[in-house]
Amino acid sequence: MFALFVRFFVPLRCETKTITKTKTCDIAYGILPSLCSVRMTETWETPNSQLATHNSINMDFKDLIQTRRSCRTFTDEQLTEEQTVALMRAALMSPSSHRTNGWQFVLVDDREKLHALSACKEHGSGLIDGAPLAIVVCADPAASDVWIEDASIATLMIQLQAEELGLGSCWVQVRRRQTVDGRNSDDVVRGILGIPSTMEVLSIVAVGHKAVERKPFNEEHLQWEKLHLNEW
């Protein structure tokens, strides 16, 4: 039975073809003042191509998770208002335990603060200095005992939305990390941004236009042997 399970769930290869879709979407701004109708046309190749060439609006989910790769270098191009709102809509739609919505988000585009955040831990945060936007994901432990899980889901929702918009992103872990001089990273982030001590900082998502397009995830590397059916 397990052999059949793997057989039916291992993705089949298909020939590369180009698909063009056009969609009109209305974005209602919850935190910004106006309404905007945006018309977007996309063209991309199926995942068998060696390099993603998508504009990403309305990609199917299989393509989305295959092309989402951590991006650590960004261009100088700023995000549009529509892109920023789309990222925040995704975050605020993120599921949470019992719909407690214990997360909160701090958007940072100030260059001095981005530079300061880039030193919030010993390794892996320097890329924030080159990003046009950083989204700090916080949560209130008093609101839910699974705030870590809720904030983690929200972090990934932001990253998936960024990829659909054709943007790059990278998760910078803050919780249980330290600076080069031994300070707790979450305390440093709280100090830079004035975050209340009652809020925990889980992560920072650096977002921007990709300076380098990485190859999609190679399905040949999927570890199907880590799947178990009914028992270990």
Side-chain angles (χ1 to χ4, degrees):
M1 179 179 285
F2 185 71
L4 289 174
F5 174 84
V6 172
R7 177 184 173 188
F8 284 107
F9 279 81
V10 173
L12 298 176
R13 292 185 177 276
C14 60
E15 293 181 0
T16 298
K17 61 181 179 180
T18 300
I19 304 171
T20 302
K21 292 186 178 180
T22 302
K23 178 185 179 183
T24 300
C25 59
D26 295 318
I27 302 175
Y29 295 147
I31 59 173
L32 296 173
S34 60
L35 294 177
C36 172
S37 180
V38 184
R39 186 172 181 82
M40 291 171 263
T41 302
E42 60 171 335
T43 301
W44 73 88
E45 292 182 347
T46 52
N48 283 345
S49 69
Q50 289 300 304
L51 190 63
T53 57
H54 61 286
N55 255 341
S56 301
I57 298 301
N58 255 14
M59 339 172 42
D60 81 26
F61 188 71
K62 178 178 180 294
D63 292 347
L64 182 65
I65 60 176
Q66 190 166 14
T67 57
R68 192 223 61 80
R69 308 295 302 277
S70 294
C71 176
R72 294 177 174 82
T73 54
F74 306 96
T75 70
D76 293 332
E77 184 178 356
Q78 298 297 305
L79 274 65
T80 66
E81 195 173 68
E82 292 89 347
Q83 289 169 331
T84 303
V85 170
L87 292 169
M88 290 299 91
R89 286 179 72 251
L92 294 172
M93 288 183 185
S94 178
S96 64
S97 177
H98 300 289
R99 206 58 199 167
T100 49
N101 298 352
W103 24 246
Q104 294 201 39
F105 309 93
V106 183
L107 285 73
V108 183
D109 62 2
D110 179 87
R111 292 310 319 170
E112 290 186 4
K113 290 183 177 180
L114 287 169
H115 179 70
L117 289 173
S118 71
C120 72
K121 64 177 189 173
E122 185 174 4
H123 303 292
S125 58
L127 62 98
I128 297 172
D129 201 21
L133 178 67
I135 301 169
V136 181
V137 182
C138 312
D140 182 1
S144 174
D145 63 340
V146 290
W147 68 269
I148 297 172
E149 291 86 344
D150 289 348
S152 296
I153 295 169
T155 300
L156 185 56
M157 291 281 278
I158 293 168
Q159 290 196 279
L160 291 174
Q161 180 62 81
E163 184 63 35
E164 191 197 31
L165 293 169
L167 301 171
S169 71
C170 189
W171 178 323
V172 177
Q173 179 68 14
V174 174
R175 179 178 174 270
R176 301 189 70 174
R177 295 295 183 266
Q178 291 185 322
T179 64
V180 67
D181 57 359
R183 293 175 293 160
N184 289 333
S185 296
D186 52 354
D187 289 337
V188 172
V189 174
R190 273 194 287 264
I192 295 169
L193 302 177
I195 297 170
S197 59
T198 54
M199 299 295 293
E200 296 286 347
V201 181
L202 176 86
S203 63
I204 300 174
V205 185
V207 184
H209 292 270
K210 303 173 186 179
V212 177
E213 185 77 56
R214 296 183 62 185
K215 294 179 181 180
F217 185 87
N218 186 344
E219 292 191 42
E220 293 180 358
H221 296 158
L222 291 175
Q223 296 175 297
W224 295 99
E225 70 276 10
K226 292 190 175 182
L227 301 183
H228 309 276
L229 185 63
N230 293 328
E231 60 185 14
W232 188 264

